[in-house]
Amino acid sequence: MRSLKFSIYILAFLGAITTSCRKDPKPLPSEVTKVEPEPTSAIKGFYLVNEGNMNMNKASLDYLDLVNGIYTRNLYNQVNPEVTKGLGDVGNDIGRYGTKLYVVVNVSNKVEVLNVKTGKKIGQINITNCRYVTFSNGKAYVSAYLGKVGDPKAPNGIVAEIDTTALSVNRTVEVGRQPEEMAIIGSKLYVANSGGYSPPDYEHTVSVIDLPSFKEIKRIEVAINLHRIKADRYGDLYVTSRGDYYNIPSKLFVIDTQTDQIKKVFDIAASNLAIDDDYAYIYATEWNYIEQKNTITYSMINVKDETLMDRKFIIDGTEKNIKIPYGIAVNPNSKDVYVTDAKDYVTPGKLHCYSPGGRLKWSVTTGDIPAHIAFTN
């Protein structure tokens, strides 16, 4: 269900077709593949959540052991055989906090909590139509659309504050319609509101939450159909607008959190980005209904001086083999860049590892719609 441009309509349609043939599929068995090992890696590995097709209970969890070069596909099913329907329906986000791993499973209306060392399920928090997760000071914060998936009359969304010890919801705060990613700087939580269930009446603001009081203190006017929001180390936020998929293009906005004002606009499409040190790594899969096609681009920004760079993070031409870039992460130690490919949204995808110099190191097959990565150490 990822970006509402394509997934809400296409995946729902595909899910409906496939469900008629396979109403309650069994979880897939685990599979192991060897990739290039990194024996001296300070980062032990990472978990990757595959979203899976809507209404199919095909969300899955993979794990890459970087040190030994072992990629385990469908790890969740292997270590949680008692969970008969597997991870659930649409894995929308993942985050690690301390010794726990939090997996947001959107259509299944839950956040699964796992042991970060083993992937074993240790708890669950039920949140309707949950979307993304972030963390601060012993708390997890989960954005949620509320309402039924795709309902244009759905109520305003919320952010739920979860106690990471008790694994229970402490407080909730109302934000805009269909809230997406969040970022925390200091004592403020910023939430990108999309309004994606009611085009062309999109939302166009970032909600600002005061964490001590857990109240919305303002909304920052940005642009329509917001999605990603990432913080750099200089106190700025990078916020993506998906546009309307017709005449209003995707753009990238920079917000100064000292003033809570837009300080710069990049006229580039941006579907997702990862910020590491002074660099933002960006890809765009921009769908246009008029042209009936995706335009795929890759770019980099120097966040220190806020300039678009000539340099690309893929230089060997292998980006031509990536059909639908869908997830991105940067190894904070090695600076390798990981890019996932959703392919056709209904068959297994790919995970590609690129060196800091932009050359392909290895690729491996994932589950359906690989999207979100959480590093372990």
Side-chain angles (χ1 to χ4, degrees):
M1 175 180 146
R2 177 92 269 149
S3 72
L4 292 171
K5 67 172 181 51
F6 204 38
S7 325
I8 279 248
Y9 301 105
I10 300 302
L11 287 182
F13 173 70
L14 291 170
I17 293 176
T18 334
T19 303
S20 65
C21 302
R22 184 180 175 189
K23 293 183 179 179
D24 192 15
K26 293 181 179 180
L28 296 171
S30 62
E31 300 174 7
V32 173
T33 305
K34 293 287 290 182
V35 299
E36 181 181 332
E38 301 178 25
T40 61
S41 175
I43 302 295
K44 183 178 179 181
F46 61 77
Y47 288 92
L48 184 150
V49 169
N50 303 286
E51 291 188 355
N53 315 112
M54 190 182 296
N55 300 322
M56 290 292 291
N57 284 317
K58 286 187 68 177
S60 62
L61 185 69
D62 300 347
Y63 182 74
L64 173 62
D65 177 346
L66 275 169
V67 175
N68 297 298
I70 300 173
Y71 188 87
T72 303
R73 185 178 166 197
N74 300 317
L75 174 75
Y76 181 92
N77 300 334
Q78 174 183 311
V79 300
N80 297 285
E82 72 283 359
V83 184
T84 57
K85 291 187 178 181
L87 189 56
D89 198 349
V90 186
N92 208 73
D93 199 15
I94 186 172
R96 179 185 66 84
Y97 192 70
T99 60
K100 299 183 180 78
L101 193 70
Y102 296 76
V103 185
V104 180
V105 192
N106 173 230
V107 184
S108 291
N109 303 308
K110 65 179 180 176
V111 178
E112 290 233 354
V113 186
L114 314 178
N115 182 304
V116 75
K117 290 184 178 180
T118 64
K120 184 73 175 175
K121 181 175 179 176
I122 59 178
Q124 177 176 314
I125 303 104
N126 297 322
I127 301 176
T128 300
N129 213 339
C130 44
R131 294 292 290 176
Y132 290 94
V133 64
T134 191
F135 308 92
S136 179
N137 294 323
K139 304 294 190 296
Y141 296 93
V142 177
S143 60
Y145 280 8
L146 302 185
K148 294 182 179 179
V149 173
D151 181 7
K153 296 181 180 179
N156 278 15
I158 63 163
V159 174
E161 180 186 75
I162 296 170
D163 185 308
T164 57
T165 301
L167 299 183
S168 60
V169 175
N170 282 344
R171 302 181 288 181
T172 63
V173 60
E174 183 177 299
V175 291
R177 289 178 292 114
Q178 290 83 64
E180 299 282 15
E181 277 195 348
M182 302 163 290
I184 294 173
I185 293 184
S187 62
K188 293 187 289 188
L189 171 71
Y190 294 83
V191 188
N193 299 309
S194 72
Y197 282 172
S198 52
D201 182 26
Y202 292 107
E203 279 274 13
H204 43 80
T205 62
V206 168
S207 289
V208 185
I209 309 301
D210 173 68
L211 286 178
S213 66
F214 212 53
K215 295 184 182 299
E216 184 185 55
I217 55 176
K218 68 178 76 169
R219 292 190 186 180
I220 305 169
E221 292 283 342
V222 182
I224 66 166
N225 200 7
L226 303 180
H227 187 192
R228 309 290 185 175
I229 184 166
K230 298 290 196 304
D232 68 13
R233 57 182 178 178
Y234 301 105
D236 292 332
L237 294 171
Y238 285 72
V239 185
T240 69
S241 164
R242 289 173 286 202
D244 67 354
Y245 318 120
Y246 287 93
N247 299 307
I248 301 175
S250 171
K251 289 186 180 181
L252 181 63
F253 297 81
V254 184
I255 294 175
D256 182 340
T257 59
Q258 293 297 312
T259 63
D260 285 340
Q261 298 292 321
I262 295 172
K263 64 186 296 190
K264 187 156 188 173
V265 180
F266 288 94
D267 288 322
I268 60 171
S271 298
N272 200 358
L273 70 157
I275 298 178
D276 179 75
D277 292 338
D278 285 342
Y279 303 108
Y281 302 75
I282 305 159
Y283 72 79
T285 306
E286 189 175 23
W287 173 257
N288 187 285
Y289 281 108
I290 297 173
E291 299 177 354
Q292 286 292 299
K293 70 174 186 178
N294 278 314
T295 299
I296 297 173
T297 55
Y298 299 87
S299 54
M300 291 184 69
I301 288 173
N302 183 318
V303 299
K304 184 176 182 179
D305 59 18
E306 297 168 6
T307 56
L308 187 63
M309 303 171 66
D310 292 332
R311 169 187 166 190
K312 306 293 182 184
F313 61 87
I314 302 176
I315 66 168
D316 60 2
T318 55
E319 73 276 9
K320 296 175 183 177
N321 300 323
I322 301 175
K323 187 174 181 180
I324 302 290
Y326 206 73
I328 187 167
V330 180
N331 187 315
N333 179 251
S334 69
K335 308 305 179 186
D336 284 346
V337 181
Y338 304 98
V339 180
T340 68
D341 183 357
K343 298 292 184 182
D344 56 6
Y345 295 105
V346 293
T347 55
K350 286 283 188 178
L351 169 68
H352 304 286
C353 175
Y354 287 90
S355 70
R359 297 187 180 279
L360 183 64
K361 294 174 65 174
W362 50 259
S363 300
V364 67
T365 299
T366 66
D368 292 3
I369 317 179
H372 316 280
I373 287 173
F375 290 100
T376 64
N377 53 24

